[in-house]
Amino acid sequence: MASESQLKPEQFRLERLLRLIAALINSPRFLSIAELQTQVGITKNKYSAGYPADFASARRAFHRDMNELKALGIPVISGKINELEKDTWGYLIRKQDYALPEMDFESDELAALHQACTAVRFHGISGAEALWKLGGQVGEATPTELATVPIDPCLAELFRAVTEQRVLRFNYSGQLRSVEPWTLAFEQGHWYLMGYDHTRRDKRTFRVDRIEEPSQNQAATKATPKVELGYPGGFELTADIPGWSPIQPWKLGDQPEVTAHLWVTSTHAPTASRRLGQTPDAYNHDGSVIFEVPVRNPVAFRSVVLEFLDQAEILRPKELRDDMVWWLQEIAK
Amino acid sequence: MSRLSARDRLGRMLELVPWVMSQGAAEIGEISQRFDYPQDELREDLTKVLFVVGLYPFTPDQLINVIGLDTEECLTDADEDQVAITNADYFSRPLRLTSAQALSLIGAAKALLMESDTDGPLSRGLKKLAAGLDISPNEDLEINLGDAPPEWLQPLRLAIQQHKKTQITYYSFGRGQITERIIQPQQIFSERGNLYVSAYCETAEGIRVFLIDRIRAVQVLDERFAPLTQTNPPSAFQPRLEDPRAVIHLAPQASWVLEKYPIEHRETLPNNKIAITMRISETSRLERLLLQLGAQAELHSVEPPLQIQIAQSAATRVLSRYL
């Protein structure tokens, strides 16, 4: 073996961290810091890895190591060791918490995932680190990035709640909600959470960035996170749960549904089709089209129609047409 | 790359060890590339660090075996750059993905997946990933980077990769006309829920940003262009020097405008209204905003001043459809 004195401090640290993880994974029971000090090894001098001989220093070094493990997402659990005369705190990694399930990717699949996560990045999340776990970065990164998706600090927790069917509790519009989360969606530059709201007893869609901090009353009792997760499998997914549908404010309202006939010029027909999420219901000879749009929120409908300025016109019903005329006359005054 | 910290090394080491073990043996150059680990550092960390990692009491039978490279043991009939790792069962599986990592991988794959591509490598990779993580990729997550016809995205990405000039038919809302342009596409990007392509426009002789939703036809030409070295990340709202500045007074309930449009300056007025300053690169954008807001917005001033009362004239123009 080559002389260890050539190693850099971060390499000694790496050695200590690897030994620590090996000891924690291999143990069938919680290990105290003193036991870990022995099992990882004690430094003889600054040219060797391990914990300091002095226990107080070793404990500080151990807690610094735990921060590194936490930063990498290594699941260390802790608990009391009762075998000793007085209770001592101990640490352990359970193999089933640690290991990635078997997936066995082909290299073209890894290359495609590599391309995907270099094209679409999630702000602050390293796609490379995720790929290492699947077997490394294969092939070329995509030469041009397509998008950086903004993320909210609680987004990963929300995703966990969706995938593990955990009931969520959070504050929204000044009210504490208890929600069975079904879908997390990114649309028009924002994140949304859709699910069943126990508090309102109905399906609801929440803007993730409008989830509120816990109120002072709630926070006073304990350190409350912004979103609280229940147990995995806390609710059942039934077959009648609706899939995600794009945010269409004109369909979300308390008024009885009316069908609006909207005329759009030929130049704007393709854009209107995507904006409204439906294909035209009639085509005119000049290329202009007519959409039959279900409307439950007339104000939101007026707003989307005005995106097209003079390239669209509400044909009927009369109330919606008259409302538009009244609105525009007020502005034109 | 800057100097690798202990955490950088640990994160890589915990994932490359399982991969090398699953392969039997691997070539150091490939490990270095897959795990973004500079080869010299990797060689040293394998032969001098991992080599002495093991379980208490660190007798040889308890240490991880690193075979090959310049360790004492050599792989039989393999070249010196091959390495194998044994006696490390506890490191034989990679670490599980964090929720954030799972979200980013599934999200990126979903965002790029074309509906037609059911059997391509991305689709297969996503399926394996979802099955392994016990996630339903269709129900749990939805990613929409912007309304855009998928049939334009593919040729535009191709043109960007191969530096090919491209002819587009584009509908300009501001001018209300359809134009044919030759562009040198630079980058596709998503901003505030829309997909854009930035390009050098040969017709306009300058860098322009096109909303992909308003492209009506794309034809990739054979002629190549010399790629530009782009310094600034593209933005759909890049104001030009000559663009007027508008000051708008918004009622408090119209504050959604603040997140939908880039604002240069904002200020809350004594009457609780919000005064915003924004650059107007397209008059139609301002018209739309003022018509949507009605009495909730008041166009306070425009610098340099416009000749017309913009909200009134736009309202009159739209009204002429109805009356």
Side-chain angles (χ1 to χ4, degrees):
Chain A
M1 198 182 352
S3 160
E4 288 193 1
S5 63
Q6 295 167 6
L7 294 187
K8 297 189 273 277
E10 56 268 32
Q11 291 175 303
F12 288 123
R13 185 82 188 280
L14 171 67
E15 184 179 330
R16 185 172 87 192
L17 289 163
L18 286 167
R19 283 188 187 172
L20 172 65
I21 297 165
L24 289 168
I25 294 185
N26 263 285
S27 175
R29 60 171 184 85
F30 291 119
L31 294 172
S32 69
I33 295 177
E35 287 172 308
L36 284 165
Q37 190 186 18
T38 311
Q39 297 218 355
V40 169
I42 291 175
T43 48
K44 294 170 201 74
N45 51 52
K46 67 174 183 170
Y47 301 116
S48 71
Y51 286 119
D54 166 52
F55 182 71
S57 311
R59 190 172 56 198
R60 278 197 299 276
F62 169 77
H63 285 297
R64 280 199 299 276
D65 286 355
M66 291 300 280
N67 286 338
E68 295 291 323
L69 267 49
K70 199 175 160 195
L72 285 171
I74 298 171
V76 183
I77 56 168
S78 60
K80 275 180 189 167
I81 309 169
N82 294 309
E83 295 161 18
L84 305 171
E85 278 182 14
K86 64 174 187 181
D87 287 347
T88 313
W89 212 245
Y91 301 84
L92 177 65
I93 295 172
R94 290 186 304 197
K95 277 201 186 76
Q96 70 266 32
D97 296 342
Y98 178 94
L100 185 77
E102 298 271 359
M103 291 189 219
D104 253 344
F105 291 99
E106 303 290 332
S107 31
D108 66 337
E109 294 161 359
L110 275 185
L113 287 170
H114 185 199
Q115 285 247 326
C117 48
T118 45
V120 180
R121 294 174 190 276
F122 284 67
H123 189 83
I125 303 174
S126 160
E129 285 174 26
L131 286 170
W132 297 339
K133 297 181 177 181
L134 307 184
Q137 292 158 262
V138 177
E140 295 293 316
T142 168
T144 58
E145 185 184 309
L146 190 61
T148 297
V149 178
I151 67 160
D152 188 271
C154 64
L155 201 64
E157 285 292 273
L158 296 180
F159 185 60
R160 192 152 81 104
V162 171
T163 57
E164 296 176 359
Q165 285 103 53
R166 294 170 183 260
V167 174
L168 280 166
R169 280 155 62 89
F170 53 81
N171 285 293
Y172 198 86
S173 299
Q175 197 176 27
L176 180 64
R177 310 298 179 100
S178 169
V179 175
E180 296 179 3
W182 296 335
T183 302
L184 196 60
F186 182 73
E187 198 174 287
Q188 293 178 29
H190 297 289
W191 282 100
Y192 295 90
L193 179 78
M194 181 184 76
Y196 181 81
D197 182 350
H198 286 286
T199 316
R200 293 287 177 92
R201 297 186 183 194
D202 200 2
K203 180 194 133 178
R204 281 284 186 277
T205 299
F206 305 94
R207 268 272 297 268
V208 170
D209 60 341
R210 296 205 183 130
I211 292 178
E212 291 154 7
E213 293 295 333
S215 66
Q216 292 205 322
N217 280 345
Q218 292 161 336
T221 49
K222 55 181 171 158
T224 320
K226 204 166 153 185
V227 296
E228 232 179 307
L229 273 64
Y231 293 106
F235 64 94
E236 253 183 84
L237 289 171
T238 52
D240 57 350
I241 289 179
W244 174 257
S245 51
I247 298 287
Q248 296 171 328
W250 57 94
K251 287 186 185 170
L252 306 172
D254 304 324
Q255 306 207 16
E257 183 175 305
V258 294
T259 301
H261 289 232
L262 181 69
W263 174 88
V264 179
T265 58
S266 61
T267 49
H268 282 66
T271 301
S273 196
R274 281 185 289 277
R275 183 72 180 94
L276 298 169
Q278 59 185 82
T279 51
D281 294 278
Y283 296 83
N284 298 325
H285 289 301
D286 62 355
S288 63
V289 296
I290 295 170
F291 294 94
E292 292 177 19
V293 187
V295 174
R296 296 188 68 176
N297 181 339
V299 172
F301 183 62
R302 183 177 67 208
S303 187
V304 71
V305 172
L306 284 170
E307 286 178 17
F308 299 97
L309 292 172
D310 57 352
Q311 304 292 309
E313 178 185 345
I314 302 172
L315 300 177
R316 57 173 186 266
K318 191 169 182 304
E319 314 87 88
L320 291 181
R321 189 178 162 89
D322 288 350
D323 169 77
M324 179 64 95
V325 170
W326 165 80
W327 177 262
L328 291 169
Q329 282 174 335
E330 286 295 305
I331 298 171
K333 265 182 197 170
Chain B
M1 170 178 292
S2 56
R3 185 166 159 176
L4 289 177
S5 70
R7 187 191 297 172
D8 295 335
R9 289 164 201 265
L10 181 65
R12 288 163 171 76
M13 195 60 88
L14 290 175
E15 316 307 352
L16 73 85
V17 171
W19 183 74
V20 174
M21 289 176 80
S22 74
Q23 301 295 303
E27 206 255 322
I28 186 125
E30 188 178 359
I31 307 173
S32 162
Q33 196 175 14
R34 276 186 181 247
F35 296 91
D36 196 15
Y37 213 133
Q39 202 164 337
D40 294 347
E41 304 270 0
L42 173 62
R43 189 179 285 269
E44 211 171 66
D45 286 353
L46 285 172
T47 56
K48 294 179 186 167
V49 179
L50 189 68
F51 192 70
V52 290
V53 168
L55 297 172
Y56 183 76
F58 310 115
T59 47
D61 61 309
Q62 294 291 355
L63 292 180
I64 292 176
N65 231 339
V66 179
I67 308 163
L69 304 178
D70 53 358
T71 54
E72 285 152 11
E73 285 179 84
C74 274
L75 283 175
T76 48
D77 65 358
D79 68 76
E80 57 185 11
D81 283 339
Q82 290 275 319
V83 61
I85 298 166
T86 60
N87 213 25
D89 288 348
Y90 41 87
F91 287 151
S92 64
R93 291 296 306 152
L95 188 53
R96 69 174 41 224
L97 292 164
T98 63
S99 301
Q101 288 170 337
L103 171 68
S104 70
L105 279 174
I106 301 232
K110 278 206 63 150
L112 286 190
L113 202 59
M114 295 281 169
E115 277 165 25
S116 54
D117 169 42
T118 49
D119 209 32
L122 187 59
S123 176
R124 282 184 273 117
L126 176 61
K127 269 182 211 145
K128 280 187 191 173
L129 191 60
L133 300 174
D134 199 15
I135 286 173
S136 330
N138 293 327
E139 287 80 34
D140 291 353
L141 187 64
E142 191 58 48
I143 302 278
N144 182 358
L145 297 178
D147 288 340
E151 65 265 33
W152 302 155
L153 282 179
Q154 206 64 17
L156 284 172
R157 293 185 71 193
L158 188 84
I160 291 167
Q161 274 177 31
Q162 301 180 347
H163 309 302
K164 283 192 170 171
K165 292 188 179 182
T166 305
Q167 181 170 346
I168 60 167
T169 307
Y170 189 68
Y171 180 73
S172 161
F173 207 148
R175 297 192 201 135
Q177 55 185 228
I178 286 185
T179 52
E180 298 279 333
R181 294 154 183 265
I182 306 282
I183 62 168
Q184 303 175 3
Q186 308 289 322
Q187 187 170 352
I188 295 171
F189 62 98
S190 166
E191 191 174 321
R192 290 169 210 254
N194 286 310
L195 277 171
Y196 300 88
V197 58
S198 68
Y200 177 81
C201 177
E202 296 189 352
T203 316
E205 295 184 348
I207 299 282
R208 292 287 183 275
V209 169
F210 301 96
L211 187 55
I212 296 180
D213 197 30
R214 290 202 202 133
I215 294 178
R216 298 291 179 251
V218 173
Q219 195 192 351
V220 181
L221 307 175
D222 289 334
E223 197 184 338
R224 286 172 194 268
F225 60 86
L228 292 177
T229 45
Q230 196 160 26
T231 45
N232 295 330
S235 164
F237 298 91
Q238 196 70 60
R240 288 177 295 243
L241 275 177
E242 66 272 21
D243 289 343
R245 259 194 188 84
V247 177
I248 304 171
H249 290 188
L250 295 175
Q253 63 267 38
S255 61
W256 58 266
V257 172
L258 299 174
E259 56 190 37
K260 193 147 183 218
Y261 297 94
I263 306 293
E264 279 192 343
H265 180 73
R266 65 173 286 187
E267 185 182 339
T268 305
L269 302 173
N271 59 5
N272 273 332
K273 288 195 171 185
I274 309 159
I276 59 167
T277 307
M278 59 195 290
R279 298 291 286 267
I280 310 300
S281 47
E282 233 181 68
T283 315
S284 61
R285 192 182 284 157
L286 181 60
E287 289 179 336
R288 210 176 306 152
L289 186 61
L290 293 174
L291 291 193
Q292 287 177 326
L293 289 169
Q296 291 178 14
E298 182 206 337
L299 183 58
H300 184 261
S301 61
V302 181
E303 195 57 50
L306 298 175
Q307 297 303 315
I308 46 163
Q309 290 195 299
I310 194 157
Q312 285 85 339
S313 83
T316 307
R317 207 172 73 234
V318 181
L319 265 177
S320 67
R321 285 261 176 225
Y322 289 81
L323 301 177

